[in-house]
């Protein structure tokens, strides 16, 4: 019965505004829909006229089979200890389960950057206006601007103001703002990349999967191929199979999400507000980028399917946010659990050898001094002398 109520809630969230007569409560990992009487539930089912009639009959007869998160996870993978089960809460027919890319990496990356800019999503890599915080702007203004950037004036180009339209003035304003923003973006990007160019292949891989997926936008296809080989080596080492690959699925989910969001916003500009809401909610899942973008992609795929069926109303997405926020919070809670588990493993004396081996054998950030001294051991005297001559101080 609990699963039936949860299914009814799922339908409520996806197909119509929430009814005031219904209430929500948590039961383990499930959201349960409650009503004052069986009659209200029956009325609710009848009210969902947009639902396929066959599905309605199955719900009313109680024959509909539901798959819980763990069953879904086992069916479509991956079986990885740091991936949240919340990522599998909204599986659609279009869900991405194959890690093989359908197109070239650089082509997908280029399309993704275009869509990210179009929806103005915060990436942390100064690709959009949302990446520029107040402190970023202040630091730039205080330390980098040496002269003002005046708005192009009419007098400068010798055209009477009466001959220039408001649109042309706005275009000139926009061009100046864009130039300033671009200069600011490039300056901040340089400081961010200083650390990240020192990632080891394994460190880069885990950084992308967990906390920083937009690193994918800073690499090329050769580095991506290296990351895929790194992933397979890790999976093989720990007894996993290719079905547990994460990188390609994450990349495709990000591409799908931003592509569909851009299309939806073009169709209905009002949905830009919902994009901002999704951005805020997604922050709850920080620390598990793979699960976060799995959930975002599946949600947007379902929206697009409803749009194609001509049953996507204006209230749909707003009324899904209660359940979505809960799922993002669950991802965040799982991340906290994973950090607690990692800390506990380190504190247990029985794991001392394992901890030491992992810390010494698997470096995420290269130590430039250690790397230099290690390479020096294999350098012959002729090359040492060349180094001395190249960098000696006159």
């Amino acid at each position: 019965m609990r699963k039936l109520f949860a299914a009814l809630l799922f339908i409520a969230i996806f197909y119509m505004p929430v009814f005031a007569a219904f209430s929500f409560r948590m039961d383990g990992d499930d959201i349960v829909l409650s009503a004052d009487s069986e009659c209200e539930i029956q009325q609710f089912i009848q009210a969902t006229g947009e639902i396929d009639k066959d599905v309605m009959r199955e719900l009313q007869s109680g024959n509909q089979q539901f798959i819980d998160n763990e069953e879904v996870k086992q069916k479509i993978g991956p079986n990885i200890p740091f991936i949240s089960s919340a990522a599998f809460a909204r599986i659609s027919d279009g869900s991405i389960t194959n890690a093989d890319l359908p197109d070239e990496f650089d082509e997908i990356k280029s399309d993704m950057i275009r869509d990210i800019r179009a929806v103005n999503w915060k990436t942390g890599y100064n690709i959009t206006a949302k990446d520029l915080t107040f402190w970023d702007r202040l630091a730039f203004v205080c330390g980098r601007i040496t002269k003002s950037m005046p708005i192009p004036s009419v007098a400068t180009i010798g055209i009477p103001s009466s001959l220039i339209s408001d649109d042309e003035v706005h275009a000139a304003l926009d061009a100046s703002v864009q130039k300033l923003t671009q200069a600011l973006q490039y300056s901040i990007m340089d400081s961010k990349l200083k650390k990240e160019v020192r990632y080891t292949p394994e460190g880069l891989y885990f950084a992308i999967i967990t906390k920083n997926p937009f690193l994918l936008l800073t690499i090329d296809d050769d580095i991506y191929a290296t990351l895929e080989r790194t992933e397979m080596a890790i999976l093989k080492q720990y007894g996993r199979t290719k079905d547990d690959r994460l990188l390609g699925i994450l990349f495709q989910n990000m591409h799908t999400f931003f592509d569909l969001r851009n299309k939806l916003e073009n169709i209905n500009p009002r949905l830009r507000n919902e994009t901002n809401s999704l951005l805020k909610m997604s922050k709850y899942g920080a620390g598990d980028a793979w699960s976060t973008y799995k959930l975002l992609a599946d949600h947007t795929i379902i929206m697009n399917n409803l749009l194609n069926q001509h049953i996507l109303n204006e209230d749909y997405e707003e009324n899904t946010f209660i359940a979505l926020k809960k799922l993002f919070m669950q991802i965040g809670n799982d991340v906290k659990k994973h950090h607690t588990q990692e800390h506990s493993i380190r504190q247990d004396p029985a794991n001392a050898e394992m901890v030491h081996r992992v810390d010494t054998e698997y470096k995420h950030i290269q130590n430039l001094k250690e790397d230099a001294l290690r390479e020096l051991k294999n350098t012959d005297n002729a090359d040492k002398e060349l180094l001395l001559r190249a960098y000696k101080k006159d």
Side-chain angles (χ1 to χ4, degrees), residues 109-137:
K109 183 180 76 170
S110 177
D111 290 344
M112 194 192 305
I113 291 173
R114 176 202 64 205
D115 294 329
I116 288 171
R117 285 176 172 156
V119 303
N120 197 22
W121 190 268
K122 185 176 178 62
T123 69
Y125 281 86
N126 309 295
I127 293 173
T128 69
K130 275 195 171 66
D131 288 327
L132 305 178
T133 67
F134 168 78
W135 297 109
D136 290 333
R137 293 184 176 95

PDB file of all heavy atoms in Angstrom, residues 109-137:
ATOM      1  N   LYS A 109      31.385  18.719 -26.139  1.00  0.00           N
ATOM      2  CA  LYS A 109      31.828  19.768 -25.220  1.00  0.00           C
ATOM      3  C   LYS A 109      31.478  21.150 -25.777  1.00  0.00           C
ATOM      4  O   LYS A 109      31.001  22.024 -25.029  1.00  0.00           O
ATOM      5  CB  LYS A 109      33.337  19.662 -24.993  1.00  0.00           C
ATOM      6  CG  LYS A 109      33.868  20.674 -23.982  1.00  0.00           C
ATOM      7  CD  LYS A 109      35.371  20.535 -23.790  1.00  0.00           C
ATOM      8  CE  LYS A 109      36.151  21.113 -24.953  1.00  0.00           C
ATOM      9  NZ  LYS A 109      37.601  21.192 -24.671  1.00  0.00           N
ATOM     10  N   SER A 110      31.688  21.359 -27.053  1.00  0.00           N
ATOM     11  CA  SER A 110      31.378  22.644 -27.673  1.00  0.00           C
ATOM     12  C   SER A 110      29.896  22.962 -27.575  1.00  0.00           C
ATOM     13  O   SER A 110      29.505  24.086 -27.248  1.00  0.00           O
ATOM     14  CB  SER A 110      31.827  22.635 -29.136  1.00  0.00           C
ATOM     15  OG  SER A 110      31.479  23.831 -29.777  1.00  0.00           O
ATOM     16  N   ASP A 111      29.054  21.959 -27.848  1.00  0.00           N
ATOM     17  CA  ASP A 111      27.605  22.158 -27.734  1.00  0.00           C
ATOM     18  C   ASP A 111      27.205  22.462 -26.294  1.00  0.00           C
ATOM     19  O   ASP A 111      26.335  23.301 -26.039  1.00  0.00           O
ATOM     20  CB  ASP A 111      26.864  20.911 -28.219  1.00  0.00           C
ATOM     21  CG  ASP A 111      26.964  20.716 -29.723  1.00  0.00           C
ATOM     22  OD1 ASP A 111      27.329  21.680 -30.419  1.00  0.00           O
ATOM     23  OD2 ASP A 111      26.693  19.603 -30.203  1.00  0.00           O
ATOM     24  N   MET A 112      27.849  21.770 -25.347  1.00  0.00           N
ATOM     25  CA  MET A 112      27.506  21.963 -23.946  1.00  0.00           C
ATOM     26  C   MET A 112      27.854  23.376 -23.475  1.00  0.00           C
ATOM     27  O   MET A 112      27.077  24.009 -22.761  1.00  0.00           O
ATOM     28  CB  MET A 112      28.223  20.927 -23.072  1.00  0.00           C
ATOM     29  CG  MET A 112      27.660  20.854 -21.653  1.00  0.00           C
ATOM     30  SD  MET A 112      28.704  19.897 -20.511  1.00  0.00           S
ATOM     31  CE  MET A 112      28.839  18.351 -21.378  1.00  0.00           C
ATOM     32  N   ILE A 113      29.017  23.862 -23.873  1.00  0.00           N
ATOM     33  CA  ILE A 113      29.417  25.217 -23.491  1.00  0.00           C
ATOM     34  C   ILE A 113      28.407  26.233 -24.026  1.00  0.00           C
ATOM     35  O   ILE A 113      28.017  27.172 -23.326  1.00  0.00           O
ATOM     36  CB  ILE A 113      30.830  25.528 -24.000  1.00  0.00           C
ATOM     37  CG1 ILE A 113      31.865  24.691 -23.235  1.00  0.00           C
ATOM     38  CG2 ILE A 113      31.149  27.012 -23.864  1.00  0.00           C
ATOM     39  CD1 ILE A 113      33.272  24.810 -23.775  1.00  0.00           C
ATOM     40  N   ARG A 114      27.982  26.049 -25.265  1.00  0.00           N
ATOM     41  CA  ARG A 114      26.976  26.945 -25.855  1.00  0.00           C
ATOM     42  C   ARG A 114      25.682  26.935 -25.030  1.00  0.00           C
ATOM     43  O   ARG A 114      25.112  27.988 -24.723  1.00  0.00           O
ATOM     44  CB  ARG A 114      26.685  26.501 -27.280  1.00  0.00           C
ATOM     45  CG  ARG A 114      25.584  27.291 -27.990  1.00  0.00           C
ATOM     46  CD  ARG A 114      25.021  26.470 -29.133  1.00  0.00           C
ATOM     47  NE  ARG A 114      24.368  25.266 -28.636  1.00  0.00           N
ATOM     48  CZ  ARG A 114      24.213  24.149 -29.345  1.00  0.00           C
ATOM     49  NH1 ARG A 114      24.681  24.073 -30.582  1.00  0.00           N
ATOM     50  NH2 ARG A 114      23.594  23.104 -28.826  1.00  0.00           N
ATOM     51  N   ASP A 115      25.223  25.747 -24.647  1.00  0.00           N
ATOM     52  CA  ASP A 115      23.967  25.631 -23.900  1.00  0.00           C
ATOM     53  C   ASP A 115      24.109  26.162 -22.475  1.00  0.00           C
ATOM     54  O   ASP A 115      23.173  26.764 -21.937  1.00  0.00           O
ATOM     55  CB  ASP A 115      23.502  24.170 -23.874  1.00  0.00           C
ATOM     56  CG  ASP A 115      23.116  23.655 -25.251  1.00  0.00           C
ATOM     57  OD1 ASP A 115      22.649  24.461 -26.069  1.00  0.00           O
ATOM     58  OD2 ASP A 115      23.296  22.447 -25.507  1.00  0.00           O
ATOM     59  N   ILE A 116      25.255  25.939 -21.858  1.00  0.00           N
ATOM     60  CA  ILE A 116      25.493  26.449 -20.500  1.00  0.00           C
ATOM     61  C   ILE A 116      25.424  27.971 -20.497  1.00  0.00           C
ATOM     62  O   ILE A 116      24.839  28.584 -19.601  1.00  0.00           O
ATOM     63  CB  ILE A 116      26.860  25.957 -19.971  1.00  0.00           C
ATOM     64  CG1 ILE A 116      26.788  24.457 -19.645  1.00  0.00           C
ATOM     65  CG2 ILE A 116      27.279  26.738 -18.729  1.00  0.00           C
ATOM     66  CD1 ILE A 116      28.137  23.839 -19.329  1.00  0.00           C
ATOM     67  N   ARG A 117      26.013  28.576 -21.499  1.00  0.00           N
ATOM     68  CA  ARG A 117      25.955  30.038 -21.598  1.00  0.00           C
ATOM     69  C   ARG A 117      24.533  30.517 -21.840  1.00  0.00           C
ATOM     70  O   ARG A 117      24.107  31.535 -21.301  1.00  0.00           O
ATOM     71  CB  ARG A 117      26.878  30.515 -22.714  1.00  0.00           C
ATOM     72  CG  ARG A 117      28.354  30.460 -22.325  1.00  0.00           C
ATOM     73  CD  ARG A 117      29.260  30.830 -23.469  1.00  0.00           C
ATOM     74  NE  ARG A 117      30.651  30.949 -23.031  1.00  0.00           N
ATOM     75  CZ  ARG A 117      31.693  30.812 -23.826  1.00  0.00           C
ATOM     76  NH1 ARG A 117      31.516  30.563 -25.115  1.00  0.00           N
ATOM     77  NH2 ARG A 117      32.906  30.927 -23.344  1.00  0.00           N
ATOM     78  N   ALA A 118      23.802  29.764 -22.646  1.00  0.00           N
ATOM     79  CA  ALA A 118      22.435  30.177 -22.981  1.00  0.00           C
ATOM     80  C   ALA A 118      21.528  30.157 -21.757  1.00  0.00           C
ATOM     81  O   ALA A 118      20.668  31.038 -21.599  1.00  0.00           O
ATOM     82  CB  ALA A 118      21.867  29.262 -24.069  1.00  0.00           C
ATOM     83  N   VAL A 119      21.709  29.174 -20.861  1.00  0.00           N
ATOM     84  CA  VAL A 119      20.856  29.087 -19.676  1.00  0.00           C
ATOM     85  C   VAL A 119      21.487  29.783 -18.466  1.00  0.00           C
ATOM     86  O   VAL A 119      20.884  29.842 -17.401  1.00  0.00           O
ATOM     87  CB  VAL A 119      20.517  27.616 -19.322  1.00  0.00           C
ATOM     88  CG1 VAL A 119      19.848  26.929 -20.488  1.00  0.00           C
ATOM     89  CG2 VAL A 119      21.757  26.849 -18.872  1.00  0.00           C
ATOM     90  N   ASN A 120      22.716  30.295 -18.652  1.00  0.00           N
ATOM     91  CA  ASN A 120      23.404  31.064 -17.601  1.00  0.00           C
ATOM     92  C   ASN A 120      23.513  30.266 -16.305  1.00  0.00           C
ATOM     93  O   ASN A 120      23.097  30.708 -15.241  1.00  0.00           O
ATOM     94  CB  ASN A 120      22.669  32.384 -17.346  1.00  0.00           C
ATOM     95  CG  ASN A 120      23.546  33.388 -16.601  1.00  0.00           C
ATOM     96  OD1 ASN A 120      24.768  33.298 -16.630  1.00  0.00           O
ATOM     97  ND2 ASN A 120      22.908  34.331 -15.935  1.00  0.00           N
ATOM     98  N   TRP A 121      24.129  29.094 -16.403  1.00  0.00           N
ATOM     99  CA  TRP A 121      24.289  28.189 -15.254  1.00  0.00           C
ATOM    100  C   TRP A 121      25.630  28.469 -14.573  1.00  0.00           C
ATOM    101  O   TRP A 121      26.638  28.676 -15.232  1.00  0.00           O
ATOM    102  CB  TRP A 121      24.262  26.750 -15.760  1.00  0.00           C
ATOM    103  CG  TRP A 121      24.177  25.685 -14.702  1.00  0.00           C
ATOM    104  CD1 TRP A 121      25.205  25.034 -14.103  1.00  0.00           C
ATOM    105  CD2 TRP A 121      22.979  25.119 -14.150  1.00  0.00           C
ATOM    106  NE1 TRP A 121      24.752  24.099 -13.215  1.00  0.00           N
ATOM    107  CE2 TRP A 121      23.373  24.134 -13.218  1.00  0.00           C
ATOM    108  CE3 TRP A 121      21.617  25.347 -14.345  1.00  0.00           C
ATOM    109  CZ2 TRP A 121      22.448  23.374 -12.495  1.00  0.00           C
ATOM    110  CZ3 TRP A 121      20.701  24.600 -13.618  1.00  0.00           C
ATOM    111  CH2 TRP A 121      21.119  23.624 -12.710  1.00  0.00           C
ATOM    112  N   LYS A 122      25.658  28.451 -13.273  1.00  0.00           N
ATOM    113  CA  LYS A 122      26.898  28.698 -12.538  1.00  0.00           C
ATOM    114  C   LYS A 122      27.795  27.467 -12.627  1.00  0.00           C
ATOM    115  O   LYS A 122      27.394  26.364 -12.252  1.00  0.00           O
ATOM    116  CB  LYS A 122      26.602  29.021 -11.078  1.00  0.00           C
ATOM    117  CG  LYS A 122      27.839  29.409 -10.278  1.00  0.00           C
ATOM    118  CD  LYS A 122      27.456  29.819  -8.863  1.00  0.00           C
ATOM    119  CE  LYS A 122      28.690  30.152  -8.035  1.00  0.00           C
ATOM    120  NZ  LYS A 122      29.458  31.289  -8.580  1.00  0.00           N
ATOM    121  N   THR A 123      29.012  27.639 -13.126  1.00  0.00           N
ATOM    122  CA  THR A 123      29.937  26.514 -13.312  1.00  0.00           C
ATOM    123  C   THR A 123      31.177  26.606 -12.438  1.00  0.00           C
ATOM    124  O   THR A 123      31.840  25.602 -12.200  1.00  0.00           O
ATOM    125  CB  THR A 123      30.410  26.431 -14.780  1.00  0.00           C
ATOM    126  OG1 THR A 123      31.264  27.553 -15.059  1.00  0.00           O
ATOM    127  CG2 THR A 123      29.233  26.424 -15.741  1.00  0.00           C
ATOM    128  N   GLY A 124      31.520  27.804 -11.986  1.00  0.00           N
ATOM    129  CA  GLY A 124      32.771  27.977 -11.257  1.00  0.00           C
ATOM    130  C   GLY A 124      33.962  28.199 -12.167  1.00  0.00           C
ATOM    131  O   GLY A 124      35.085  28.399 -11.698  1.00  0.00           O
ATOM    132  N   TYR A 125      33.731  28.171 -13.489  1.00  0.00           N
ATOM    133  CA  TYR A 125      34.821  28.352 -14.455  1.00  0.00           C
ATOM    134  C   TYR A 125      34.617  29.567 -15.334  1.00  0.00           C
ATOM    135  O   TYR A 125      35.142  29.643 -16.445  1.00  0.00           O
ATOM    136  CB  TYR A 125      35.001  27.077 -15.280  1.00  0.00           C
ATOM    137  CG  TYR A 125      35.757  26.063 -14.478  1.00  0.00           C
ATOM    138  CD1 TYR A 125      35.090  25.224 -13.605  1.00  0.00           C
ATOM    139  CD2 TYR A 125      37.142  26.006 -14.512  1.00  0.00           C
ATOM    140  CE1 TYR A 125      35.778  24.336 -12.812  1.00  0.00           C
ATOM    141  CE2 TYR A 125      37.841  25.124 -13.723  1.00  0.00           C
ATOM    142  CZ  TYR A 125      37.149  24.290 -12.871  1.00  0.00           C
ATOM    143  OH  TYR A 125      37.834  23.428 -12.060  1.00  0.00           O
ATOM    144  N   ASN A 126      33.824  30.508 -14.829  1.00  0.00           N
ATOM    145  CA  ASN A 126      33.699  31.805 -15.484  1.00  0.00           C
ATOM    146  C   ASN A 126      33.272  31.712 -16.943  1.00  0.00           C
ATOM    147  O   ASN A 126      33.781  32.418 -17.800  1.00  0.00           O
ATOM    148  CB  ASN A 126      35.024  32.568 -15.344  1.00  0.00           C
ATOM    149  CG  ASN A 126      35.481  32.597 -13.899  1.00  0.00           C
ATOM    150  OD1 ASN A 126      34.836  33.191 -13.054  1.00  0.00           O
ATOM    151  ND2 ASN A 126      36.562  31.904 -13.620  1.00  0.00           N
ATOM    152  N   ILE A 127      32.343  30.802 -17.173  1.00  0.00           N
ATOM    153  CA  ILE A 127      31.778  30.628 -18.506  1.00  0.00           C
ATOM    154  C   ILE A 127      30.546  31.514 -18.672  1.00  0.00           C
ATOM    155  O   ILE A 127      30.237  31.971 -19.765  1.00  0.00           O
ATOM    156  CB  ILE A 127      31.420  29.142 -18.740  1.00  0.00           C
ATOM    157  CG1 ILE A 127      32.715  28.316 -18.788  1.00  0.00           C
ATOM    158  CG2 ILE A 127      30.606  28.941 -20.004  1.00  0.00           C
ATOM    159  CD1 ILE A 127      32.488  26.835 -18.843  1.00  0.00           C
ATOM    160  N   THR A 128      29.845  31.775 -17.555  1.00  0.00           N
ATOM    161  CA  THR A 128      28.619  32.567 -17.608  1.00  0.00           C
ATOM    162  C   THR A 128      28.693  33.721 -16.618  1.00  0.00           C
ATOM    163  O   THR A 128      29.580  33.781 -15.766  1.00  0.00           O
ATOM    164  CB  THR A 128      27.393  31.696 -17.258  1.00  0.00           C
ATOM    165  OG1 THR A 128      27.451  31.353 -15.858  1.00  0.00           O
ATOM    166  CG2 THR A 128      27.365  30.421 -18.086  1.00  0.00           C
ATOM    167  N   ALA A 129      27.710  34.614 -16.711  1.00  0.00           N
ATOM    168  CA  ALA A 129      27.672  35.764 -15.798  1.00  0.00           C
ATOM    169  C   ALA A 129      27.485  35.326 -14.354  1.00  0.00           C
ATOM    170  O   ALA A 129      27.970  35.982 -13.426  1.00  0.00           O
ATOM    171  CB  ALA A 129      26.537  36.704 -16.210  1.00  0.00           C
ATOM    172  N   LYS A 130      26.795  34.195 -14.132  1.00  0.00           N
ATOM    173  CA  LYS A 130      26.564  33.728 -12.767  1.00  0.00           C
ATOM    174  C   LYS A 130      27.859  33.291 -12.075  1.00  0.00           C
ATOM    175  O   LYS A 130      27.893  33.168 -10.848  1.00  0.00           O
ATOM    176  CB  LYS A 130      25.572  32.568 -12.768  1.00  0.00           C
ATOM    177  CG  LYS A 130      24.115  32.991 -12.757  1.00  0.00           C
ATOM    178  CD  LYS A 130      23.220  31.834 -12.393  1.00  0.00           C
ATOM    179  CE  LYS A 130      21.789  32.310 -12.161  1.00  0.00           C
ATOM    180  NZ  LYS A 130      21.159  32.828 -13.357  1.00  0.00           N
ATOM    181  N   ASP A 131      28.895  33.034 -12.845  1.00  0.00           N
ATOM    182  CA  ASP A 131      30.168  32.630 -12.250  1.00  0.00           C
ATOM    183  C   ASP A 131      30.869  33.794 -11.556  1.00  0.00           C
ATOM    184  O   ASP A 131      31.772  33.581 -10.754  1.00  0.00           O
ATOM    185  CB  ASP A 131      31.109  32.071 -13.326  1.00  0.00           C
ATOM    186  CG  ASP A 131      30.661  30.703 -13.803  1.00  0.00           C
ATOM    187  OD1 ASP A 131      30.103  29.950 -12.999  1.00  0.00           O
ATOM    188  OD2 ASP A 131      30.869  30.391 -14.984  1.00  0.00           O
ATOM    189  N   LEU A 132      30.495  35.008 -11.887  1.00  0.00           N
ATOM    190  CA  LEU A 132      31.195  36.171 -11.366  1.00  0.00           C
ATOM    191  C   LEU A 132      30.536  36.644 -10.076  1.00  0.00           C
ATOM    192  O   LEU A 132      29.467  37.246 -10.097  1.00  0.00           O
ATOM    193  CB  LEU A 132      31.176  37.301 -12.403  1.00  0.00           C
ATOM    194  CG  LEU A 132      31.735  36.917 -13.784  1.00  0.00           C
ATOM    195  CD1 LEU A 132      31.616  38.099 -14.734  1.00  0.00           C
ATOM    196  CD2 LEU A 132      33.178  36.455 -13.679  1.00  0.00           C
ATOM    197  N   THR A 133      31.163  36.352  -8.939  1.00  0.00           N
ATOM    198  CA  THR A 133      30.636  36.777  -7.657  1.00  0.00           C
ATOM    199  C   THR A 133      30.977  38.240  -7.406  1.00  0.00           C
ATOM    200  O   THR A 133      31.786  38.842  -8.117  1.00  0.00           O
ATOM    201  CB  THR A 133      31.226  35.939  -6.512  1.00  0.00           C
ATOM    202  OG1 THR A 133      32.635  36.231  -6.417  1.00  0.00           O
ATOM    203  CG2 THR A 133      31.033  34.457  -6.770  1.00  0.00           C
ATOM    204  N   PHE A 134      30.380  38.798  -6.372  1.00  0.00           N
ATOM    205  CA  PHE A 134      30.676  40.171  -5.999  1.00  0.00           C
ATOM    206  C   PHE A 134      32.167  40.347  -5.701  1.00  0.00           C
ATOM    207  O   PHE A 134      32.791  41.321  -6.107  1.00  0.00           O
ATOM    208  CB  PHE A 134      29.853  40.565  -4.772  1.00  0.00           C
ATOM    209  CG  PHE A 134      30.300  41.867  -4.143  1.00  0.00           C
ATOM    210  CD1 PHE A 134      29.946  43.086  -4.709  1.00  0.00           C
ATOM    211  CD2 PHE A 134      31.099  41.868  -3.004  1.00  0.00           C
ATOM    212  CE1 PHE A 134      30.353  44.280  -4.138  1.00  0.00           C
ATOM    213  CE2 PHE A 134      31.514  43.059  -2.436  1.00  0.00           C
ATOM    214  CZ  PHE A 134      31.148  44.261  -2.994  1.00  0.00           C
ATOM    215  N   TRP A 135      32.752  39.376  -5.011  1.00  0.00           N
ATOM    216  CA  TRP A 135      34.165  39.486  -4.628  1.00  0.00           C
ATOM    217  C   TRP A 135      35.071  39.360  -5.842  1.00  0.00           C
ATOM    218  O   TRP A 135      36.134  39.988  -5.901  1.00  0.00           O
ATOM    219  CB  TRP A 135      34.506  38.419  -3.583  1.00  0.00           C
ATOM    220  CG  TRP A 135      33.732  38.623  -2.323  1.00  0.00           C
ATOM    221  CD1 TRP A 135      32.713  37.854  -1.841  1.00  0.00           C
ATOM    222  CD2 TRP A 135      33.869  39.720  -1.405  1.00  0.00           C
ATOM    223  NE1 TRP A 135      32.221  38.383  -0.679  1.00  0.00           N
ATOM    224  CE2 TRP A 135      32.911  39.524  -0.379  1.00  0.00           C
ATOM    225  CE3 TRP A 135      34.700  40.827  -1.343  1.00  0.00           C
ATOM    226  CZ2 TRP A 135      32.782  40.401   0.687  1.00  0.00           C
ATOM    227  CZ3 TRP A 135      34.569  41.709  -0.279  1.00  0.00           C
ATOM    228  CH2 TRP A 135      33.614  41.493   0.722  1.00  0.00           C
ATOM    229  N   ASP A 136      34.657  38.539  -6.820  1.00  0.00           N
ATOM    230  CA  ASP A 136      35.414  38.454  -8.073  1.00  0.00           C
ATOM    231  C   ASP A 136      35.460  39.822  -8.748  1.00  0.00           C
ATOM    232  O   ASP A 136      36.512  40.293  -9.184  1.00  0.00           O
ATOM    233  CB  ASP A 136      34.773  37.445  -9.032  1.00  0.00           C
ATOM    234  CG  ASP A 136      34.940  36.019  -8.557  1.00  0.00           C
ATOM    235  OD1 ASP A 136      35.910  35.745  -7.834  1.00  0.00           O
ATOM    236  OD2 ASP A 136      34.094  35.191  -8.923  1.00  0.00           O
ATOM    237  N   ARG A 137      34.303  40.455  -8.837  1.00  0.00           N
ATOM    238  CA  ARG A 137      34.228  41.763  -9.495  1.00  0.00           C
ATOM    239  C   ARG A 137      35.031  42.816  -8.737  1.00  0.00           C
ATOM    240  O   ARG A 137      35.721  43.641  -9.332  1.00  0.00           O
ATOM    241  CB  ARG A 137      32.771  42.197  -9.617  1.00  0.00           C
ATOM    242  CG  ARG A 137      31.932  41.332 -10.562  1.00  0.00           C
ATOM    243  CD  ARG A 137      30.531  41.895 -10.702  1.00  0.00           C
ATOM    244  NE  ARG A 137      29.751  41.141 -11.660  1.00  0.00           N
ATOM    245  CZ  ARG A 137      28.925  40.148 -11.334  1.00  0.00           C
ATOM    246  NH1 ARG A 137      28.809  39.802 -10.080  1.00  0.00           N
ATOM    247  NH2 ARG A 137      28.246  39.499 -12.260  1.00  0.00           N
TER     248      ARG A 137
END
